[in-house]
Amino acid sequence: MGRRRSVSAGEPLIWEDDDSLLVANVIEGVLKLTTSTADGREQIVGVAYPSDFIGRPFGQTSAASVVALTDARVCVFARNDFDRFAREHPELEHKLLERTLAELDRTRAWMMLLGRKSAPEKIATFLLDMSERLADNGCMTHTGPARHFTLPFSRQQVADLLGLTIETVSRQFTKLKADGVVALPSRRDVEILDRAMLETLAG
Amino acid sequence: MGRRRSVSAGEPLIWEDDDSLLVANVIEGVLKLTTSTADGREQIVGVAYPSDFIGRPFGQTSAASVVALTDARVCVFARNDFDRFAREHPELEHKLLERTLAELDRTRAWMMLLGRKSAPEKIATFLLDMSERLADNGCMTHTGPARHFTLPFSRQQVADLLGLTIETVSRQFTKLKADGVVALPSRRDVEILDRAMLETLAG
DNA sequence: CGCGATCCTTGACCGAAATCAAACCTGCCG
DNA sequence: CGGCAGGTTTGATTTCGGTCAAGGATCGCG
């Protein structure tokens, strides 16, 4: 059970306020979870990496849209089937509970960033977070924080993640580059030159 | 099992970065979950009402401090005991999973507010949210959104919840009063006079 | 290679919310 | 009742990040 499905970059998987018809496991790639206002402002409320679970079991509607950031492969299940199966398999529910609790912790840490951090702090925190996240998911050969990585986000998506505008994100990146804290070999590539400084800036 | 405990307003129950030694169920009262930066900025990342679960099972440290906003009664468990008990009772784990998923939904909706909404939108959203939350928890006799309620928050705490300063919160309250959208009979009391307008302002 | 589309950067300016500072309530306790 | 302390409101000013507006880079594709 569970159908494999490929999703190419930019393609949606679940719509906000959809009847929550499916859940999925990420096999490969990175996806964003977003909520939007009526007038088009967007906030990224979560990012799903390989092995992460997406969708909303035991609920009528999903609170967020899911869109692939990179080409991705996922394993999708009809929500009804999944719900039934989960209730019969406590080990699965336990695993899901642990993951959901961990996700809630991460989300709460991100609320601190959104509500109380300045633009420079947001950017520094973001880069450190990415260097850890991308190291843990087969995107890197060695473990531990990565010195160099390729962002799965465009500048606009970084802005939507941090609650900033694209211009502010761009300016902060430029500043970090000018100060020799990071190198930016291409639009999506980041090399951390001075991790200690980034950690100071992150607050 | 599970010891009853009274907590008076302002008293802490769990410290941030504590070894996560206990979990609890709220019986009566309201508590805040907060994270803080080294330099003292605070963000409220969750609010626990009667019947809500607090603490972090299956994890080494709790990500947030818990402090009572009003006098409260809780039922506390040693985390280790709770973890063991939960693993043996799938029904309990299922219940906890459902609650955690619901809390994650609420938290994500709040991220939208923190990252993308203006001060007037934040205040309007907050008041509507409170009118629903406080109606559901025995604080009101009838069900459905409340027209009048008593905030469990000081102005500073509202600011910490919305990612604003106390001055901005105060000014927005004053403006809503001047515009006849709400009445503020006392510091903590709110009466919604024009719900439709609040909903428009909430965006 | 060249063209166009898209994304990104940069600059000038503006405005919402923060900061700084000073009064003003409100409740409490002697 | 009077005075004090905490919390709150209000005002003046500053600043950070947003908005508006051009350019520039990069990529895909014929």
Side-chain angles (χ1 to χ4, degrees):
Chain A
M1 63 176 297
R3 272 179 17 87
R4 294 287 173 111
R5 188 171 148 193
S6 288
V7 198
S8 42
E11 195 183 331
L13 185 64
I14 297 176
W15 289 105
E16 195 174 352
D17 298 325
D18 233 354
D19 292 332
S20 176
L21 293 176
L22 45 85
V23 297
N25 238 342
V26 181
I27 298 167
E28 192 185 349
V30 185
L31 301 94
K32 65 172 178 173
L33 284 72
T34 61
T35 57
S36 304
T37 52
D39 61 338
R41 283 171 288 177
E42 183 166 313
Q43 176 67 47
I44 296 181
V45 296
V47 184
Y49 297 91
S51 88
D52 283 351
F53 183 88
I54 49 186
R56 177 62 164 92
F58 318 120
Q60 294 332 298
T61 62
S62 70
S65 304
V66 178
V67 177
L69 293 174
T70 65
D71 291 345
R73 285 184 303 127
V74 297
C75 189
V76 296
F77 304 83
R79 197 185 60 82
N80 286 340
D81 294 348
F82 180 86
D83 285 5
R84 209 175 316 113
F85 188 80
R87 300 221 47 161
E88 288 160 8
H89 296 81
E91 270 312 310
L92 173 59
E93 283 217 322
H94 179 76
K95 195 86 189 158
L96 191 53
L97 176 57
E98 290 220 13
R99 280 166 182 283
T100 307
L101 285 165
E103 181 64 21
L104 186 56
D105 281 351
R106 259 195 301 279
T107 304
R108 284 174 169 163
W110 211 252
M111 289 178 86
M112 168 81 237
L113 174 143
L114 290 174
R116 290 301 186 200
K117 290 196 175 179
S118 67
E121 288 173 327
K122 284 177 175 181
I123 296 286
T125 306
F126 165 73
L127 290 174
L128 290 170
D129 189 74
M130 290 310 293
S131 89
E132 273 156 36
R133 291 283 208 108
L134 295 178
D136 292 338
N137 285 290
C139 307
M140 299 296 299
T141 49
H142 63 326
T143 179
R147 225 175 69 83
H148 177 282
F149 49 89
T150 300
L151 294 175
F153 302 103
S154 69
R155 291 288 184 272
Q156 181 60 61
Q157 287 158 354
V158 176
D160 290 341
L161 192 56
L162 300 179
L164 296 170
T165 60
I166 186 174
E167 293 95 331
T168 299
V169 172
S170 180
R171 277 185 253 268
Q172 295 300 327
F173 270 62
T174 303
K175 177 124 206 306
L176 287 177
K177 189 166 104 181
D179 294 350
V181 179
V182 300
L184 304 170
S186 84
R187 287 176 170 188
R188 299 283 186 129
D189 287 315
V190 178
E191 187 174 351
I192 296 180
L193 301 177
D194 188 348
R195 174 172 296 269
M197 177 58 70
L198 264 192
E199 277 159 3
T200 305
L201 291 173
Chain B
M1 63 176 295
R3 275 179 15 88
R4 293 289 173 106
R5 188 171 147 192
S6 289
V7 198
S8 42
E11 196 184 330
L13 186 64
I14 298 174
W15 289 105
E16 195 173 351
D17 298 324
D18 234 355
D19 294 331
S20 176
L21 293 175
L22 45 85
V23 296
N25 238 342
V26 181
I27 299 166
E28 192 185 349
V30 185
L31 302 93
K32 64 172 179 174
L33 285 72
T34 60
T35 57
S36 303
T37 52
D39 61 337
R41 283 170 288 176
E42 183 166 315
Q43 176 67 46
I44 295 181
V45 296
V47 183
Y49 296 91
S51 89
D52 283 352
F53 183 88
I54 51 187
R56 177 63 162 91
F58 317 120
Q60 295 329 300
T61 61
S62 70
S65 305
V66 179
V67 177
L69 293 174
T70 64
D71 292 345
R73 285 184 304 127
V74 297
C75 188
V76 296
F77 304 82
R79 198 185 61 79
N80 286 341
D81 295 346
F82 180 87
D83 285 5
R84 208 176 316 113
F85 187 80
R87 301 221 49 158
E88 288 160 9
H89 295 81
E91 270 312 309
L92 174 58
E93 283 217 322
H94 179 77
K95 196 85 190 159
L96 191 52
L97 176 57
E98 290 220 15
R99 279 165 183 282
T100 307
L101 285 164
E103 182 63 23
L104 186 55
D105 281 351
R106 258 195 302 278
T107 304
R108 284 175 169 163
W110 212 251
M111 289 179 84
M112 169 80 237
L113 174 142
L114 290 174
R116 290 300 186 203
K117 290 196 175 180
S118 67
E121 289 173 326
K122 284 178 175 180
I123 296 285
T125 306
F126 164 73
L127 290 174
L128 290 171
D129 189 73
M130 290 309 292
S131 90
E132 273 156 39
R133 290 283 208 107
L134 295 177
D136 291 338
N137 283 292
C139 307
M140 299 297 299
T141 48
H142 64 325
T143 181
R147 224 174 69 83
H148 177 282
F149 49 89
T150 301
L151 294 174
F153 302 104
S154 69
R155 290 288 185 271
Q156 181 60 61
Q157 287 159 353
V158 175
D160 291 341
L161 192 58
L162 300 179
L164 298 170
T165 59
I166 187 174
E167 293 94 330
T168 299
V169 171
S170 179
R171 277 186 251 270
Q172 294 300 328
F173 270 63
T174 303
K175 176 123 204 310
L176 287 177
K177 189 167 103 179
D179 294 350
V181 179
V182 301
L184 304 170
S186 83
R187 288 177 169 186
R188 298 283 187 128
D189 287 314
V190 178
E191 186 174 352
I192 296 180
L193 300 177
D194 188 347
R195 174 172 295 269
M197 176 59 70
L198 264 191
E199 276 157 5
T200 305
L201 291 172

